[in-house]
Amino acid sequence: MYKSKGRKLGLFILMKGVRMATLLVAICFISFLLVKNSPIDPIQAYIGADMLKVGPEQREKIAEYWGLDQPVMVQFLSWGSAVLKGDLGTSMIFRRPVSEIIGERFLNSLVLMIAAWLLSGVIGFIMGVVAAMKKGTWIDRMIKWYCFTLASTPTFWMGLLILIVFAVWLGWFPVGMGVPAGVLSENVTMVDRIQHLILPVLTISILGVANVALHTRQKLIDVLASDYVLFARARGEQGFVLFWRHGLRNVALPAITLQFAAFSELFGGAVLAEQVFSYPGLGQATVEAGLRGDVPLLLGLVIFSTIFVFVGNLLADLSYHLLDPRMREVRKL
Amino acid sequence: MSILEVENLSVSFKQYTDGFKEINHKVISSLNVTLEAGKILAVVGASGSGKSLLAHAILGILPSNANVSGIIKYEGKELTPIRQTALRGKEIALVPQSVNFLDPLMRVGNQVRTSVKNGDAVSAQRKVFERYRLGKEVEDMYPFQLSGGMARRTLLSTAMVSDAKVIIADEPTPGLDPVVIKEALDNFREFADNGCAVMLITHDIESALQIADKIAVFYAGTTVEIAPVEDFVGNGEAIRHPYTKALWRALPQNEFRPIPGSQPHPSSLPPGCLFEPRCEMATAECRQAPPKMRELRDGMVRCIHAT
């Protein structure tokens, strides 16, 4: 039985791997075509302000050197084979290897996203549970109103609002960046980093709770109306014990899955929040790369974010296989 | 000795139509039943006659928009909501109808253990599983892994370990094969023989007749007759109410003859006797007012013409 279970898991991972590979190829191809057809001029992006000093002949030479005179498919293949070898190219605006920049930025973003992910998940879940247990009361209406309002609030606007209130008016937190300005990097303390992290995390979390809260609320209302909760009440269970024994486990499962599946929104939220707070993460790098025509960095980020979101969805799938006994246990009869 | 008495129980639901208009749907009206220790009362009626709601009303687990009036007495004292909360699962146990009443994400052994009120839960659960021939591996299973018969025995185990004095079984045998039904019915007889009062709610009059001591017949939310099981013989001459007679005659082994029409919906009950529109014996008097439950030949009947 365990052998077949192991084989099943192996097959599952293999299928997911194939799917991810095909997805990546498709994403790379489409992004490459889009960038090629966009008004970005890689030479101008590379040379920048010194453009006036470069003549047409020199530009042609650069284009030839980079292979820009080749057909699009040839260009795609040469880029693609380099990517396969692990070489994502060199960022034009940072003048450093793309993989290095992504690695460094990702660490910054990871802290931000994990903090926001945990915070919004836990707070959203609790809010949903409270709303469902107190369904129809003022507290339920408050939570619902809050969620509906926030679900339709743009991240950047919420970020600005939080900046104005907490950084400008109250002055409790720094206005932006990942570390204090004018301090040597070896002198930056953990407290400094955390202080710079709080407002962006707050922005993403405040908006992220709506989804989980509303979903959890509805699911718990369904669970409370179920036959098995009725039977549990008939056996004398009530209040918190009833919720703990039967509500929690039946509601937590979809909530966890939803939270993993929300990786894409998390990434999207981080892009906007990092821009507003000038936080040096992946999101800010994406915006920079897009605005300044840094093609290698942009394509590297596209690949990376695809993998990131794919992993989120994979974890959502896996969480069901690991946590739900109906998926986990092979039928014994 | 009667352990549980239900007198004049009515259950209605508030409903809003057209946004503002409040309508009370009376799903159970002036219902009377009595449970006795050591006896099985079968409550028989068609679907939608309010049988399950009777069980939920006794346990106090009706939805919050339900209105309950009338008196339920347990051991001679009124069963208030506070007493209901204290007694359910302890003195009064429910045996529900299907595996859907078990938590899908909880091992069944644990679910049975939560019903144990006194003593060691694990050993109590193992003992009752052994008694009901549920193997040792069953306690670690999830409800989706149980067969129909195993699910039924598991549900029965929850009532068994609770040491309740009153067992309310709500349609405990739907969709089971005859052998399993027989086994289930024998289990309920055992409960009664051990001194419990059993209320068996079912639409299956045949199996009810096999084990019950008394039959209460439900029609459109009320009892029309309560009769000892011995009265159900021959052509049903000893049966008091015309609806019960019609039920008896509709059985395949009797005349296999149904009566026309169907049970009225709770929103459009007739003003007089609820069965009057379908009754062969109906007279103008039947339309005047709902007949009272009265005693007749060691039973009860709600019909002015019954003799």
Side-chain angles (χ1 to χ4, degrees):
Chain A
M1 196 184 88
Y2 285 102
K3 208 175 165 187
S4 79
K5 226 162 109 181
R7 196 177 299 161
K8 230 174 99 186
L9 189 71
L11 192 71
F12 174 80
I13 289 171
L14 185 77
M15 287 310 290
K16 286 282 174 190
V18 169
R19 191 176 289 182
M20 174 144 148
T22 49
L23 179 76
L24 274 176
V25 170
I27 291 275
C28 286
F29 186 63
I30 292 170
S31 314
F32 194 84
L33 281 187
L34 279 174
V35 168
K36 271 287 136 202
N37 289 304
S38 70
I40 293 175
D41 181 358
I43 299 165
Q44 184 169 358
Y46 176 67
I47 296 164
D50 296 333
M51 202 63 189
L52 288 173
K53 296 180 195 159
V54 180
E57 296 84 16
Q58 276 176 301
R59 291 184 60 173
E60 247 166 63
K61 277 239 169 78
I62 297 173
E64 203 181 323
Y65 176 70
W66 279 350
L68 290 173
D69 51 349
Q70 304 281 322
V72 176
M73 276 315 287
V74 175
Q75 290 184 32
F76 175 68
L77 286 178
S78 72
W79 174 73
S81 55
V83 168
L84 281 182
K85 282 179 211 142
D87 177 16
L88 286 167
T90 309
S91 162
M92 292 176 177
I93 47 179
F94 295 98
R95 312 275 156 145
R96 279 164 59 204
V98 167
S99 47
E100 209 181 293
I101 295 169
I102 291 180
E104 178 191 301
R105 293 298 185 110
F106 179 59
L107 277 184
N108 285 339
S109 281
L110 194 66
V111 181
L112 178 73
M113 286 194 279
I114 284 183
W117 188 76
L118 287 176
L119 207 63
S120 65
V122 171
I123 295 177
F125 185 73
I126 293 173
M127 275 168 62
V129 167
V130 170
M133 295 295 273
K134 304 271 176 202
K135 187 189 160 206
T137 60
W138 63 269
I139 190 158
D140 175 34
R141 278 197 289 272
M142 284 276 293
I143 289 174
K144 261 196 316 190
W145 174 84
Y146 175 84
C147 290
F148 285 135
T149 311
L150 288 181
S152 46
T153 306
T155 313
F156 69 89
W157 185 80
M158 178 53 72
L160 286 175
L161 211 64
I162 282 184
L163 260 185
I164 293 171
V165 175
F166 291 102
V168 180
W169 288 353
L170 297 172
W172 290 353
F173 298 101
V175 177
M177 322 284 275
V179 289
V183 178
L184 286 174
S185 60
E186 54 264 34
N187 295 338
V188 175
T189 61
M190 201 64 192
V191 178
D192 284 334
R193 286 182 189 279
I194 291 174
Q195 265 199 341
H196 283 80
L197 205 59
I198 289 177
L199 288 188
V201 166
L202 198 65
T203 307
I204 306 177
S205 306
I206 283 179
L207 297 174
V209 296
N211 222 342
V212 182
L214 287 176
H215 197 87
T216 303
R217 174 182 178 273
Q218 192 51 48
K219 181 68 191 169
L220 186 55
I221 287 172
D222 292 347
V223 167
L224 289 176
S226 70
D227 286 340
Y228 56 88
V229 166
L230 185 81
F231 184 44
R233 287 174 60 211
R235 285 180 292 166
E237 292 178 23
Q238 55 179 326
F240 186 72
V241 174
L242 182 71
F243 166 74
W244 187 253
R245 273 193 197 145
H246 304 292
L248 187 64
R249 64 181 85 206
N250 281 288
V251 172
L253 203 57
I256 290 171
T257 308
L258 188 77
Q259 195 63 358
F260 275 117
F263 264 33
S264 58
E265 281 165 54
L266 191 67
F267 196 84
V271 169
L272 294 167
E274 283 174 11
Q275 190 58 25
V276 171
F277 290 96
S278 314
Y279 187 86
L282 273 186
Q284 205 207 16
T286 312
V287 175
E288 292 268 299
L291 288 178
R292 293 170 57 183
D294 189 347
V295 178
L297 183 58
L298 197 59
L299 289 175
L301 284 164
V302 165
I303 294 176
F304 185 79
S305 56
T306 307
I307 295 174
F308 182 75
V309 172
F310 190 89
V311 167
N313 289 341
L314 184 70
L315 289 176
D317 266 3
L318 272 177
S319 72
Y320 252 98
H321 282 271
L322 294 176
L323 298 174
D324 192 334
R326 287 164 294 190
M327 303 277 276
R328 186 180 62 211
E329 305 226 344
V330 189
R331 205 179 165 91
K332 284 174 186 155
L333 291 167
Chain B
M1 194 201 87
S2 63
I3 183 162
L4 189 96
E5 293 161 74
V6 179
E7 291 167 24
N8 265 321
L9 179 79
S10 294
V11 176
S12 56
F13 285 94
K14 251 191 259 169
Q15 229 177 24
Y16 293 92
T17 50
D18 309 332
F20 300 104
K21 232 166 117 193
E22 193 183 306
I23 289 189
N24 258 326
H25 274 307
K26 214 168 198 185
V27 283
I28 292 184
S29 45
S30 37
L31 177 142
N32 298 284
V33 285
T34 305
L35 292 185
E36 285 170 43
K39 303 273 176 167
I40 298 181
L41 172 80
V43 175
V44 180
S47 334
S49 56
K51 294 172 308 203
S52 293
L53 290 172
L54 167 64
H56 297 174
I58 292 172
L59 288 159
I61 52 172
L62 287 167
S64 55
N65 62 335
N67 256 325
V68 184
S69 66
I71 296 174
I72 304 173
K73 280 187 193 163
Y74 178 74
E75 290 184 326
K77 273 185 287 176
E78 195 181 331
L79 197 54
T80 56
I82 296 167
R83 276 191 85 205
Q84 276 173 331
T85 314
L87 294 181
R88 63 177 171 235
K90 245 185 237 141
E91 309 246 315
I92 309 175
L94 177 73
V95 179
Q97 52 174 297
S98 75
V99 71
N100 290 346
F101 286 80
L102 291 173
D103 188 328
L105 299 184
M106 198 170 169
R107 295 183 194 275
V108 295
N110 283 337
Q111 303 200 48
V112 173
R113 282 171 211 161
T114 61
S115 299
V116 181
K117 304 297 170 189
N118 302 308
D120 180 19
V122 178
S123 71
Q125 172 260 317
R126 294 212 168 128
K127 232 162 86 190
V128 78
F129 270 24
E130 202 173 309
R131 199 191 142 149
Y132 285 136
R133 291 179 290 102
L134 290 164
K136 191 117 186 24
E137 70 286 354
V138 178
E139 65 179 55
D140 285 331
M141 287 186 181
Y142 288 92
F144 79 97
Q145 293 167 311
L146 301 178
S147 69
M150 287 157 88
R152 198 198 54 72
R153 278 178 271 159
T154 305
L155 292 169
L156 208 59
S157 303
T158 62
M160 192 62 165
V161 294
S162 68
D163 280 328
K165 290 187 206 156
V166 175
I167 309 281
I168 301 174
D170 187 6
E171 299 274 12
T173 57
L176 294 176
D177 62 84
V179 179
V180 184
I181 291 181
K182 176 79 176 54
E183 184 192 83
L185 296 175
D186 288 345
N187 291 147
F188 287 115
R189 190 66 253 176
E190 230 174 81
F191 269 119
D193 293 344
N194 289 335
C196 288
V198 178
M199 181 156 113
L200 181 67
I201 297 174
T202 180
H203 61 262
D204 181 1
I205 189 166
E206 280 186 83
S207 29
L209 289 172
Q210 286 175 35
I211 55 151
D213 299 293
K214 270 185 178 176
I215 307 279
V217 180
F218 238 65
Y219 184 76
T222 193
T223 40
V224 291
E225 176 168 359
I226 298 172
V229 71
E230 297 82 32
D231 288 355
F232 291 80
V233 283
N235 287 331
E237 291 89 353
I239 297 172
R240 297 155 191 79
H241 198 278
Y243 175 64
T244 322
K245 276 188 185 155
L247 264 186
W248 177 245
R249 286 190 191 136
L251 288 179
Q253 61 270 42
N254 299 328
E255 292 169 40
F256 207 9
R257 189 163 54 91
I259 56 164
S262 60
Q263 186 173 250
H265 190 262
S267 60
S268 54
L269 296 178
C273 171
L274 297 177
F275 187 60
E276 176 270 324
R278 298 170 73 189
C279 185
E280 289 174 349
M281 297 159 72
T283 57
E285 212 185 329
C286 296
R287 251 161 273 158
Q288 308 269 300
K292 291 251 175 318
M293 200 75 171
R294 63 187 170 98
E295 290 198 27
L296 182 70
R297 290 187 281 116
D298 198 27
M300 307 272 278
V301 69
R302 197 187 289 276
C303 175
I304 51 173
H305 299 299
T307 50

